[in-house]
Amino acid sequence: KSVWKGHGRRAVVIVDALVMPHVETEHMTASAVGKYWRRATTAQRTRLQEEFPRLVVHTYAGALSQYGNQTITVLAARVAPTAERVIVRTEVNGGAQPLKIDYRLMKTANGWKIYDFGVMGVWLTLNYRSGFAHVIASDGIDGLISTLAEKNRANGV
């Protein structure tokens, strides 16, 4: 029986435990919030860094939960020894079509960390940025925080 297919909640737990410790959440959240990140207070940034990664966990786990008996293949890449950023491309097989998941990584003091996920060619931070801008324009940064918190409650994460 697959760990993922039809078990969205289990997928969320696994992604949260195995993937999220390797994510640079501040950079990821700042990228998704865009220019408004600089305007956010320290308290707002803290709340955004709590809520946005929770939404990412649900999104990522949701994509994986559509696949059963999967294999994950990391595709070959050339990385210069001095590189500070790299894209790691993978394919998840086990569904009707391979699921392409790419990871943008950055070198940090704690090693390589993921700062963005691309699912089927759509980068999560860029995808969320325009929607977040609309919410912030009408409801402010606190409105975005409330919107994210509500989505997370509705998703059960």
Side-chain angles (χ1 to χ4, degrees):
K1 191 171 189 175
S2 171
V3 170
W4 306 107
K5 191 168 178 94
H7 297 282
R9 183 68 196 139
R10 184 185 295 171
V12 166
V13 170
I14 291 170
V15 167
D16 198 35
L18 298 179
V19 177
M20 293 310 288
H22 304 286
V23 174
E24 203 331 292
T25 57
E26 181 176 359
H27 187 86
M28 179 180 65
T29 305
S31 181
V33 174
K35 66 182 181 181
Y36 299 102
W37 182 256
R38 291 184 300 281
R39 299 180 192 170
T41 66
T42 301
Q44 289 171 325
R45 287 180 179 188
T46 299
R47 289 286 292 129
L48 287 165
Q49 286 181 75
E50 292 168 359
E51 297 297 342
F52 181 61
R54 289 174 59 205
L55 182 63
V56 169
V57 167
H58 179 76
T59 302
Y60 184 80
L64 289 176
S65 70
Q66 303 303 308
Y67 284 72
N69 299 318
Q70 72 285 344
T71 58
I72 299 174
T73 304
V74 178
L75 305 175
R78 291 185 183 178
V79 179
T82 58
E84 297 290 320
R85 295 178 189 248
V86 66
I87 296 176
V88 175
R89 300 187 187 287
T90 69
E91 283 186 354
V92 179
N93 295 292
Q97 296 284 329
L99 175 65
K100 295 179 185 301
I101 301 178
D102 300 330
Y103 304 87
R104 287 183 174 154
L105 285 82
M106 61 190 298
K107 193 179 286 187
T108 72
N110 298 318
W112 289 96
K113 297 285 186 176
I114 300 165
Y115 68 94
D116 203 356
F117 299 88
V119 178
M120 299 304 286
V122 178
W123 292 102
L124 276 123
T125 59
L126 185 59
N127 190 49
Y128 282 113
R129 189 177 304 152
S130 64
F132 287 1
H134 289 294
V135 173
I136 293 169
S138 63
D139 301 326
I141 293 171
D142 288 330
L144 175 60
I145 293 167
S146 295
T147 298
L148 292 172
E150 180 56 36
K151 283 183 181 183
N152 287 328
R153 278 191 296 279
N155 291 333
V157 294

